[in-house]
Amino acid sequence: MRKSTLTAALSVLALASGCSMNPKLDIPAPPVAAQFAGADKAEPESAATIPWRQMFGDARLQAIIALALENNRDLRVTTLNVEAARSQFRMARGAQLPSIDANGSYTRQRIPLETAGAGLGLPSDGAAPSGIEFGQYSANVALTAFEIDLFGRLRSQSEAAFERYLASDEGRRAARIALIGAVVDAYLAERLAVEQLALTERTLIDWRESARITGLLREARQASGLEVSQADGLVRQAEADLQARLRAQAQATNALQLLTGAPLPADLPPPVSLLEQPILTQLPAGLPSDLLTNRPDIRQAERELVAANADIGAARAAFFPRLSITGLLGVTSLAFDRLFDTDNGNWSFSPQISQPIFRGGSLQGELRLAEVRKSIAIAQYEQVIQAAFREVSDGLAGRATYGKQSDAQQAAADAAARRVELSNLRYRAGVDSRLELLDAQRSLYSARQTYLDLRREELSSATGLYRALGGGEGEE
């Protein structure tokens, strides 16, 4: 009978603790168009499924990305934050379970005979000993203030902590994707600096030789002072560019080492030039709805929204009564060898219920704060989606234009090179002055520098589109 009564009571408590005060959560619809601007109606599956090693085929770049994923301090901090969030969830979940402690003690005390005798109704004539001294052993198992979660307050807190743990893990994935993109951008900047430096060095050698020849022609009265000044000006410009390229190369290398978290190894594979860099540039975007599943920052914002909704449930439940139980089961004896005898058992059971009556508006304030934070989480969720949509649209605009622009710039550089050849022939034939040849050389130098800049921008735009689509999350 007692067993069935206890079982029924536990069943009632279990049903009561299953109650939740969380409001119904409706995830807002994505506040973006159904299709990306500039994308085909039948856009294939998103490029987010492409592994980053396949996206970036340069073996040197792959080794640097792997080094960064292992050593980058920002990513390491983000990973540790995930562990911290997991611990917080465990703490919140532990509050839903009973806290049981075992303890043992020994107490030695002395009681004056007069006090002891008065308690027992005995006379105190001074003939007996002046006091009683004894020791007491005890061993107990205690249940301390276990709260029966009648209205789901603890469960809502645990749910919020769990969702924030998941959100932090999504943040780690987002940080990983961002790190890969940052490493690629830094690597491309370093390659650009190196190749522009090499171009400047070659050009400076040619222009110094041209200035020397122009000076000799001036001495022979076959060139004007204007031609000499023009040739010297080109040399000085190339010398200034050389220092700028040296600075850009050093800064790009420093940025790359910061991202990798360690000096670059000496045994890295040889680099691939920008013009031959095997980075995929024509990436499919898929549909905007794919972003909701492919981008971890969007999933992170959604988790934060669910956590904020659970906070409202916890704040609502705080208005209702709390039932807690404290219990003790143990044994007590004056002699240690008889501590666990049958007759030495003791127990206590102390249920307690509390109902908030007056808190000065603090509970209402906590509820209102939770509701406002949920509204903020909704706005942030929508904001993240809109930002992701814009990033993809920008990447698609680059996909549609950079290839054509790069081809046109390459043609312009080829035309400038052809002009230098023709100007040199015309100069040798005496048809054109040396000024025309110098101007053609300057145009060729500028066209080649611009082409390298444009190629780096094209590769960086493709990397940005890959990152915007959520690519790079996988391990491969």
Side-chain angles (χ1 to χ4, degrees), residues 123-242:
S124 178
D125 55 3
S130 60
I132 300 175
E133 182 177 338
F134 64 94
Q136 178 176 299
Y137 298 87
S138 64
N140 304 295
V141 176
L143 173 69
T144 307
F146 169 54
E147 180 177 342
I148 304 299
D149 198 18
L150 294 174
F151 299 97
R153 184 183 69 88
L154 297 178
R155 198 175 88 173
S156 294
Q157 291 179 342
S158 177
E159 180 182 351
F162 179 64
E163 292 296 334
R164 289 192 172 95
Y165 156 60
L166 295 179
S168 67
D169 195 43
E170 297 293 353
R172 179 191 61 80
R173 293 186 174 94
R176 187 178 188 276
I177 293 174
L179 175 61
I180 292 175
V183 169
V184 174
D185 285 340
Y187 178 76
L188 294 176
E190 187 218 21
R191 288 289 91 215
L192 174 66
V194 169
E195 294 182 28
Q196 286 189 332
L197 175 61
L199 174 61
T200 302
E201 290 174 338
R202 293 194 304 269
T203 302
L204 180 57
I205 292 173
D206 293 341
W207 285 359
R208 280 175 175 168
E209 178 64 17
S210 179
R212 187 186 68 83
I213 294 174
T214 304
L216 294 176
L217 292 175
R218 172 62 175 164
E219 293 176 0
R221 299 179 181 275
Q222 296 183 13
S224 66
L226 179 61
E227 291 175 329
V228 172
S229 298
Q230 183 82 359
D232 288 341
L234 290 178
V235 171
R236 299 296 175 257
Q237 182 61 56
E239 289 175 344
D241 288 348
L242 180 65

Side-chain angles (χ1 to χ4, degrees), residues 35-57:
Q35 184 176 338
F36 293 115
D40 298 332
K41 291 184 178 180
E43 192 77 17
E45 186 178 4
S46 170
T49 58
I50 300 176
W52 64 262
R53 292 186 183 275
Q54 181 179 338
M55 174 67 186
F56 309 109

Side-chain angles (χ1 to χ4, degrees), residues 46 143 175 198 231 266 286 300 401 403 416 427:
S46 170
L143 173 69
Q300 179 183 12
T401 57
Y427 170 72

Side-chain angles (χ1 to χ4, degrees), residues 259-273:
L259 289 170
T260 56
L264 297 180
D267 58 347
L268 287 173
V272 179
S273 69

Side-chain angles (χ1 to χ4, degrees), residues 403-466:
K404 297 177 181 178
Q405 185 183 2
S406 182
D407 291 342
Q409 186 60 43
Q410 182 179 11
D414 292 341
R418 181 60 178 163
R419 179 190 172 191
V420 170
E421 293 177 3
L422 295 176
S423 295
N424 190 36
L425 292 175
R426 291 171 64 87
Y427 170 72
R428 292 178 181 275
V431 178
D432 288 338
S433 67
R434 192 163 185 82
L435 291 177
E436 175 64 25
L437 176 59
L438 294 175
D439 184 67
Q441 290 174 339
R442 186 185 68 250
S443 297
L444 175 60
Y445 172 65
S446 176
R448 286 175 172 172
Q449 293 279 19
T450 301
Y451 183 46
L452 288 175
D453 277 327
L454 185 59
R455 177 59 176 167
R456 195 268 304 171
E457 292 176 4
E458 179 184 11
L459 297 175
S460 181
S461 176
T463 302
L465 177 58
Y466 181 66

Side-chain angles (χ1 to χ4, degrees), residues 78-106:
T78 304
T79 302
L80 292 174
N81 285 335
V82 175
E83 295 300 319
R86 180 186 298 173
S87 298
Q88 290 174 338
F89 162 63
R90 288 175 177 173
M91 292 165 58
R93 184 178 61 179
Q96 296 179 268
L97 304 175
S99 177
I100 300 176
D101 298 317
N103 59 77
S105 65
Y106 170 71

Side-chain angles (χ1 to χ4, degrees), residues 238-259:
E239 289 175 344
D241 288 348
L242 180 65
Q243 299 305 312
R245 303 308 177 194
L246 288 171
R247 181 176 62 251
Q249 180 183 6
Q251 292 175 343
T253 302
N254 293 337
L256 196 56
Q257 288 183 347
L258 176 63
L259 289 170

